[in-house]
Every structure is written in structure tokens, then in C-alpha cells.
Amino acid sequence: MKNVKKVSIEMEDYLYDFYRKVGSGAGRTAEQVIGDMLHRFAGEASLRAIDQKRKRKS
């Protein structure tokens, strides 16, 4: 495994239950679903930032 950092987040029980239910339908844990969601959000945010930078240069 590469060098990794452990990150903890706090969330309301109802939100964790939501991710747990989503994951149960896909055979994944709540933690895996949350990780996937954060990864996707980071990618989308990066693409928006790149797009905005391109628009400013035009």
C-alpha cells in the first residue's frame, strides 16, 4: 500500500444510514460509498476549476 493518511469525518446518524442503505443494495459498505462519493466530488470540482480557468484565459 502506498503512503496514506487516515481521515475521520463526523456525520449525523441519518446521513450515515442513507449511505449504508445505498451501499447495501450494491454490496458495499457505507464507508466505501462515502469514499466513492468524495472521490467523484473531487473530480467534478477539479473539472469545474479547469473549465473556469480556461474561460478566464479566453
Side-chain angles (χ1 to χ4, degrees), residues 13-32:
D13 288 343
Y14 74 89
L15 188 55
Y16 183 86
D17 288 340
F18 168 78
Y19 288 116
R20 184 181 51 76
K21 289 175 185 175
V22 169
S24 69
R28 300 178 60 79
T29 65
E31 292 80 5
Q32 289 170 319

Side-chain angles (χ1 to χ4, degrees), residues 22-41:
V22 169
S24 69
R28 300 178 60 79
T29 65
E31 292 80 5
Q32 289 170 319
V33 174
I34 293 165
D36 291 346
M37 180 268 309
L38 291 171
H39 188 260
R40 181 175 176 173
F41 174 76

